[in-house]
Amino acid sequence: MTSPRILVVDDEAHLRELLEIALVKMGLDVDSAENLTVARARLAQHDYALILTDMRLPDGLGIELVREVTCGEKVIPIAVITAYGSADNAVMALKAGAFDYLSKPVALDQLRLMVQSALRIGKPAEQNRPQPDARVRGGPGLRLIGQSAAMQELRTQIVRLARSMAPVAITGESGSGKELAARDIHALSPRADKPFVAVNCGAIPEALMEAEFFGYRKGAFTGAADDRDGFFQAANGGTLMLDEVADLPLAMQVKLLRAIQERRVRKVGATAEEAVDVRLISATHQNLSECVESGRFRQDLYYRLNVIELKLPPLRERLDDISLLVAAILGRLSVFAPQAEQASLTPAALEALRAYAFPGNVRELENILERALAFANDGLIEVADLGLKGVAGARPAEASMFDDGEIDALAGVGAPIASAAMTASETAVAGAGMQRAGLELPPSLPDYLDDIERDVIRQALARTHFNRTKAADLLGISFRQLRYRMQRLSIHEQD
């Protein structure tokens, strides 16, 4: 069996020699080229498992070679070597299709990790690796499902992204399947046999963020009884998903940026850094570019995370997939509710779902079907069992307005905020009530209550000069609860 062949393209003889020695010690065959002309000649003569190229060459730029290789018929991972601190060049190369990058001076441990990851691309996919259109009918969750044009295009993008190490920013509305897309990218990548770690950045207390992300040493702080790895160490060799990344505080954004650039992290209480090999996928339902403009998100971190953007379509733009989604969700629910296995929807119920706007997307569809199962007779789900408030544009059930984990965080909040709100801004509430006194019944109770809550929160924010911590104390709720309510009610500082 022949060893994989690597092509090294660099005009610095000593660096070529260093890379050749390191690669030969890994049992690989190595060819070298000092410029683009020689590299192109080598490519015409041999097949390569990986190409390493410098960005600056005597007769052109390495990114030219990146574009030629990625546009060619052969699937060859190509990585670039950038000068120290040239983050912009690395991002530009990744956008052009580079598999990965190394910074000078080249760290041999990072070189070995990158080469091992690149070589896995050429290996046949494992039989148990899920395909892009796989339907998982049980287990912890569903993979992206659908045969609409939007979903077929999305799966094509996921397959392409799976072959790269470039950071991916997944955008889409809440409940549209951002984590499932990230899991599909990981499952189809050379890192499929390594860990996939998903982190909800909005659910971690700010004081614990550094320890949670980077780990800590025993005795680093009160309660640190043992050494502990962080998310980066847990995902080493695999994929780390930063869900709701827009919720990261600015101080943590600085530390995360350094970890991404250096590919090294230092545990809290440690003096030395340790190398980590992690592919980053970020996700948010917010508009990150607007967060950058408002100063809530660092521009340099935005460019590092948003190398490639993957936008998920909302469910209302792919209603043709409803029947497939219903079948898959009922199949998953059958693990916990045996009656779901034989359950079915009447044609009228299916049409009602196709006419609904689904503000909560697929997560809302899951909630609707789970609720409908409880009311269905003999497993036959009627229109009335769905509990829909109308057709397109109708408001979903309140639970579907929240992301995973938010329901627990907000449990029991309604009464405290109502009572605290009355004491904090009775005048505002009374005024709002007087304005609505002419109505015997509100046309929409949820909208009516939201308007009152929005008025109360704005009054509290105005009193505290938009200090959200003080406003939360004034209302008798936690800072996190106030933040989620502000997001749900679209309350912004400029309001």
Side-chain angles (χ1 to χ4, degrees):
M1 180 177 178
T2 59
S3 299
R5 185 181 290 270
I6 312 295
L7 176 61
V8 176
V9 186
D10 200 298
D11 60 332
E12 299 180 34
H14 69 281
L15 181 56
R16 287 202 309 273
E17 183 178 359
L18 172 66
L19 294 174
E20 287 178 22
I21 292 172
L23 294 171
V24 168
K25 286 184 177 180
M26 294 177 66
L28 306 171
D29 292 335
V30 183
D31 290 339
S32 61
E34 63 273 15
N35 55 45
L36 287 176
T37 303
V38 177
R40 290 175 178 131
R42 295 271 194 272
L43 282 169
Q45 297 171 357
H46 302 287
D47 290 331
Y48 292 99
L50 172 66
I51 301 171
L52 289 173
T53 179
D54 195 6
M55 281 293 284
R56 295 187 177 276
L57 296 164
D59 55 349
L61 296 175
I63 198 166
E64 297 176 29
L65 190 62
V66 171
R67 294 192 179 104
E68 292 174 15
V69 170
T70 54
C71 292
E73 296 181 359
K74 299 177 182 178
V75 179
I76 306 175
I78 180 168
V80 298
I81 303 171
T82 65
Y84 177 76
S86 299
D88 292 343
N89 286 340
V91 171
M92 182 172 60
L94 290 172
K95 284 182 178 291
F99 167 75
D100 204 353
Y101 71 93
L102 292 170
S103 298
K104 295 180 181 179
V106 176
L108 295 183
D109 55 347
Q110 291 185 5
L111 172 67
R112 296 187 190 98
L113 289 172
M114 187 203 70
V115 171
Q116 290 168 0
S117 182
L119 293 181
R120 285 199 292 266
I121 287 183
K123 293 183 179 180
E126 292 83 359
Q127 292 183 355
N128 62 349
R129 181 181 296 182
Q131 297 303 311
D133 59 346
R135 294 167 178 74
V136 182
R137 297 185 61 84
L142 294 169
R143 292 287 165 80
L144 291 173
I145 293 171
Q147 292 300 325
S148 62
M151 290 305 294
Q152 291 183 25
E153 173 61 24
L154 179 64
R155 278 198 290 271
T156 300
Q157 294 180 56
I158 286 175
V159 171
R160 290 176 55 198
L161 294 177
R163 307 188 72 87
S164 169
M165 269 286 293
V168 177
I170 303 177
T171 60
E173 298 177 5
S174 293
S176 57
K178 295 186 288 295
E179 182 173 338
L180 299 184
R183 289 185 179 275
D184 276 346
I185 292 173
H186 173 76
L188 294 169
S189 75
R191 297 170 172 260
D193 58 339
K194 301 297 182 182
F196 175 91
V197 178
V199 180
N200 188 330
C201 298
I204 306 172
E206 186 172 347
L208 298 179
M209 275 197 170
E210 185 174 3
E212 290 291 332
F213 274 92
F214 307 137
Y216 55 81
R217 292 293 188 192
K218 178 179 179 181
F221 50 83
T222 303
D226 297 291
D227 288 358
R228 180 181 171 184
D229 288 340
F231 297 133
F232 273 84
Q233 293 92 343
N236 195 26
T239 303
L240 176 61
M241 179 189 177
L242 305 177
D243 198 8
E244 298 303 341
V245 70
D247 289 339
L248 283 173
L250 288 171
M252 189 61 204
Q253 291 178 30
V254 176
K255 296 170 183 175
L256 180 61
L257 177 64
R258 174 174 173 79
I260 294 172
Q261 291 181 164
E262 303 299 327
R263 300 190 183 185
R264 292 178 175 275
V265 298
R266 180 167 56 224
K267 291 183 175 180
V268 177
T271 56
E273 293 182 331
E274 54 186 294
V276 288
D277 172 31
V278 169
R279 188 198 187 165
L280 284 174
I281 298 179
S282 59
T284 181
H285 71 280
Q286 300 186 50
N287 189 318
L288 271 186
S289 60
E290 291 181 1
C291 294
V292 171
E293 292 176 3
S294 65
R296 293 184 291 120
F297 202 83
R298 291 181 62 95
Q299 186 177 51
D300 45 7
L301 180 58
Y302 169 74
Y303 286 124
R304 297 294 293 182
L305 293 176
N306 198 42
V307 173
I308 301 175
E309 183 176 0
L310 182 67
K311 184 171 179 57
L312 297 192
L315 183 54
R316 62 182 173 274
E317 293 181 6
R318 55 184 190 99
L319 292 175
D320 291 343
D321 293 330
I322 288 290
S323 57
L324 285 174
L325 287 166
V326 167
I329 292 171
L330 290 177
R332 182 181 65 84
L333 291 176
S334 66
V335 176
F336 312 100
Q339 70 270 26
E341 189 170 358
Q342 303 299 326
S344 62
L345 275 71
T346 64
L350 196 58
E351 285 304 312
L353 289 177
R354 290 194 176 116
Y356 187 56
F358 287 104
N361 293 290
V362 180
R363 185 183 296 123
E364 183 181 4
L365 176 60
E366 292 182 25
N367 293 343
I368 289 172
L369 292 176
E370 190 169 5
R371 184 173 61 245
L373 279 174
F375 293 100
N377 292 320
D378 300 324
L380 188 62
I381 298 175
E382 304 277 358
V383 174
D385 300 328
L386 298 174
L388 300 178
K389 297 295 184 182
V391 291
R395 185 180 182 86
E398 188 70 14
S400 66
M401 298 298 292
F402 300 100
D403 290 335
D404 291 337
E406 293 181 23
I407 301 300
D408 293 337
L410 297 176
V413 174
I417 192 171
S419 59
M422 287 298 293
T423 59
S425 70
E426 294 174 354
T427 304
V429 176
M434 290 297 293
Q435 293 172 5
R436 302 176 179 85
L439 292 176
E440 294 182 1
L441 287 175
S444 169
L445 180 60
D447 288 345
Y448 176 79
L449 296 176
D450 280 355
D451 287 344
I452 294 178
E453 186 175 349
R454 189 180 290 107
D455 292 341
V456 172
I457 292 177
R458 284 176 174 164
Q459 185 75 2
L461 290 169
R463 286 192 184 188
T464 59
H465 304 287
F466 218 86
N467 185 317
R468 288 182 293 176
T469 302
K470 291 182 179 178
D473 292 338
L474 189 63
L475 295 172
I477 60 177
S478 70
F479 173 82
R480 183 170 175 235
Q481 291 164 351
L482 176 62
R483 181 180 62 191
Y484 280 129
R485 289 178 176 272
M486 288 177 63
Q487 290 176 353
R488 184 173 69 85
L489 298 170
S490 300
I491 300 174
H492 306 291
E493 187 168 2
Q494 56 269 28
D495 294 344

